[in-house]
C-alpha cells in the first residue's frame, strides 16, 4: 500500500510520517507549506507541494504514486481564528475535504483516516467523554471537524470506503527535537514562550469546579497519537489490529459494500490541571516563577478528559508516554528552535 498523508509536513503530520515509514509503510506527502516545514521530513520521503482543494492535482498524485489509502490531517485548527474567519474555515476545511474525497472516490481508494478533534464535543458536563457523548461544538473549528466526520462517513457509505475518524485531545511533546511544535497556540509552547520572554505563565480562570480551580485536560504525546494513526490505517487495510482478537471495525457504524467506519477518542483517560501542568513545566525548565491568574476565557470547559477504552479495544492501542515525558521532549525541541531560551 501507499498512503497519502495530507499536511504531512506539519507538527502532527511529520510524526505520522515518521511512525508509518518507520514500520515499512510507503507514504507520499501533500502539503501547501502554509505551516508545514520540509525539514521535518526525511529526504527520501516524496513530497508534493499543493492544496487538497486542487482536484486535478489530487487525481494526478493518486495515479502517479499508486495511492491506496489516505490519512487526512491538513486543516486550519486555531479556535480563535475560526471565530474571526468562519468562512475561511468552512471553505478550506470542508471544501478541501470534499475535493479530496472526490479524488479518493474517483481513484477507487477504499481506506480513509480523518483527523478529527475533541472540539466536536463542545463543553459536556461529564467526568469522561465517550464516543457516544453528544456533540455540540462551540466554535467554527469544532463545527468543521464534526461536519467533516459527517462528510467522511457519507462518502464511505456511498463509495465503499472504510473510514476512521480520530478525535484527539490535547497534543504535546515531540518524538525528537527537530519535530517539535514551533507554534505557540498550544498550552505547553505557550508557557515556554512566556518564560523565554521573561514573563510569568498565565492561568485563565482559577475558580472552576475542579480540585485546584483551574481547567483539567487530557494530554496525549504526539508520538502516541502518531502510533494511533498507524494502528487505524492498518486496521482499515486489514494488516494490523484488525486481525487481532477484539479488534472490530463494527464498533463504529457500517458502510455500503462491506465498507465500515470507526469513530474513536485518542487520549490517555487521565486529567491534568493547568496549574499542575505549569508546575511540572517549572520543574523541567527550572523556571518556577508563580503563574498569573487572569479572567476565564469564553467557552473553556472545566474538564475535558477522554474515555480511552474503545481505542484499546478496537485499535489495540494505548498511550504509553506520560505528561512529564511530553514536557521534557517539548522543552528539548523548544531549546533547539529557540536557543535564546537556553541562555536565560
Amino acid at each position: 500500500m501507499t498512503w497519502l498523508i495530507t499536511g504531512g509536513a506539519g507538527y502532527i503530520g511529520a510524526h505520522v510520517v515518521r511512525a508509518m515509514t518507520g514500520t515499512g509503510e510507503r507514504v507520499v506527502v501533500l502539503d501547501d507549506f502554509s505551516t508545514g516545514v520540509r525539514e521535518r521530513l526525511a529526504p527520501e520521503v516524496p513530497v508534493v507541494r499543493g492544496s487538497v482543494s486542487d482536484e486535478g492535482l489530487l487525481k494526478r498524485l493518486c495515479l502517479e504514486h499508486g495511492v491506496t489509502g489516505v490519512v487526512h490531517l491538513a486543516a486550519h485548527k486555531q479556535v480563535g481564528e475560526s471565530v474571526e474567519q468562519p468562512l475561511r474555515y468552512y471553505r478550506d476545511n470542508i471544501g478541501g475535504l470534499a475535493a479530496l474525497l472526490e479524488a479518493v472516490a474517483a481513484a477507487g481508494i477504499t481506506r480513509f483516516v480523518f483527523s478529527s478533534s475533541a472540539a466536536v464535543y463542545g463543553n459536556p458536563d461529564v467526568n469522561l467523554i465517550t464516543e457516544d457523548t453528544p456533540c455540540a461544538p462551540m466554535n467554527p473549528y469544532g463545527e468543521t471537524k464534526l461536519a467533516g466526520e459527517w462528510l467522511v462517513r457519507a462518502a464511505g457509505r456511498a463509495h465503499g470506503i472504510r473510514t476512521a475518524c480520530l478525535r484527539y485531545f490535547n497534543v504535546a511533546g515531540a518524538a525528537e527535537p527537530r519535530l517539535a511544535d514551533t507554534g505557540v497556540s498550544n498550552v505547553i509552547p505557550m508557557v515556554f514562550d512566556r518564560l523565554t520572554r521573561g514573563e510569568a505563565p498565565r492561568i485563565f480562570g482559577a475558580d472552576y469546579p475542579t480540585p485546584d480551580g483551574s481547567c483539567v485536560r487530557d494530554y496525549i504525546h504526539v508520538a502516541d497519537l502518531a502510533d494511533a494513526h498507524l494502528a487505524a490505517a492498518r486496521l482499515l487495510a486489514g494488516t494490523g489490529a484488525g486481525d487481532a482478537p477484539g479488534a472490530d471495525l463494527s464498533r463504529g457504524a457500517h458502510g455500503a459494500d462491506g465498507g465500515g467506519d470507526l469513530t474513536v477518542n485518542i487520549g490517555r483517560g487521565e486529567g491534568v490541571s493547568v496549574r499542575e501542568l505549569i508546575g511540572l513545566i517549572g520543574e523541567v525548565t527550572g523556571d518556577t516563577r508563580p503563574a498569573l491568574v487572569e479572567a476565564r476565557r469564553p467557552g473553556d470547559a472545566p474538564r475535558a478528559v477522554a474515555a480511552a477504552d474503545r481505542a484499546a479495544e478496537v485499535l489495540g492501542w494505548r498511550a504509553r508516554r506520560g505528561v512529564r515525558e511530553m514536557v521534557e521532549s517539548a522543552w528539548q525541541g523548544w531549546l533547539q528552535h529557540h536557543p535564546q531560551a537556553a541562555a536565560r
Side-chain angles (χ1 to χ4, degrees):
M1 291 192 65
T2 297
W3 290 90
L4 169 62
I5 303 180
T6 70
Y11 166 52
I12 295 173
H15 280 88
V16 173
V17 171
R18 178 181 182 273
M20 297 188 77
T21 57
T23 54
E25 300 287 346
R26 292 184 300 180
V27 307
V28 56
V29 168
L30 175 67
D31 203 298
D32 66 4
F33 292 98
S34 56
T35 59
V37 179
R38 178 63 178 90
E39 288 71 26
R40 286 187 173 128
L41 303 173
E44 64 271 17
V45 173
V47 179
V48 176
R49 180 186 290 268
S51 168
V52 295
S53 298
D54 188 336
E55 292 186 43
L57 172 63
L58 290 169
K59 290 176 181 177
R60 293 193 302 273
L61 188 160
C62 291
L63 178 63
E64 292 171 4
H65 291 270
V67 172
T68 50
V70 175
V71 179
H72 179 48
L73 297 118
H76 304 305
K77 64 171 190 174
Q78 303 303 327
V79 169
E81 183 182 66
S82 78
V83 175
E84 298 169 356
Q85 303 179 46
L87 296 176
R88 176 175 178 243
Y89 269 66
Y90 271 87
R91 181 193 66 221
D92 293 349
N93 287 5
I94 300 300
L97 174 59
L100 178 58
L101 287 167
E102 289 271 9
V104 164
I109 295 167
T110 58
R111 301 154 182 104
F112 195 96
V113 180
F114 178 60
S115 167
S116 188
S117 168
V120 301
Y121 294 115
N123 187 2
D125 185 17
V126 295
N127 187 50
L128 290 177
I129 298 173
T130 75
E131 291 83 355
D132 299 318
T133 298
C135 293
M138 300 178 64
N139 52 69
Y141 166 67
E143 292 167 2
T144 64
K145 285 300 184 181
L146 182 57
E149 290 188 10
W150 295 339
L151 181 55
V152 166
R153 296 188 195 107
R157 289 190 296 270
H159 299 285
I161 304 168
R162 292 164 62 85
T163 65
C165 297
L166 306 186
R167 294 173 173 171
Y168 36 89
F169 284 63
N170 298 65
V171 185
E176 49 186 290
R178 70 181 178 87
L179 300 182
D181 188 358
T182 55
V184 293
S185 58
N186 294 327
V187 61
I188 291 176
M190 188 184 297
V191 174
F192 290 165
D193 180 56
R194 291 194 54 93
L195 295 180
T196 299
R197 291 188 282 113
E199 300 175 359
R202 295 180 295 179
I203 295 175
F204 295 100
D207 57 350
Y208 286 97
T210 60
D212 65 18
S214 65
C215 293
V216 172
R217 295 290 182 266
D218 191 334
Y219 295 92
I220 178 75
H221 196 293
V222 66
D224 283 332
L225 175 61
D227 289 341
H229 283 80
L230 173 62
R234 289 188 160 178
L235 174 61
L236 297 185
T239 59
D243 300 322
D248 181 8
L249 197 60
S250 67
R251 286 297 301 224
H254 284 284
D257 300 324
D261 72 74
L262 168 71
T263 301
V264 62
N265 288 337
I266 304 297
R268 294 173 62 246
E270 299 178 12
V272 177
S273 75
V274 174
R275 195 180 292 278
E276 289 172 329
L277 182 66
I278 290 175
L280 181 56
I281 291 172
E283 293 176 19
V284 169
T285 63
D287 191 328
T288 58
R289 72 186 73 198
L292 297 175
V293 175
E294 299 188 3
R296 292 186 181 190
R297 295 181 301 188
D300 273 351
R303 176 182 173 87
V305 180
D309 297 338
R310 184 176 293 183
E313 179 182 350
V314 180
L315 298 180
W317 171 92
R318 287 188 185 276
R320 298 186 292 113
R321 300 163 178 88
V323 179
R324 177 174 286 275
E325 187 170 349
M326 295 179 214
V327 173
E328 290 174 344
S329 62
W331 181 237
Q332 291 305 308
W334 183 266
L335 292 176
Q336 177 166 310
H337 293 283
H338 303 82
Q340 70 274 24
R344 289 196 56 82

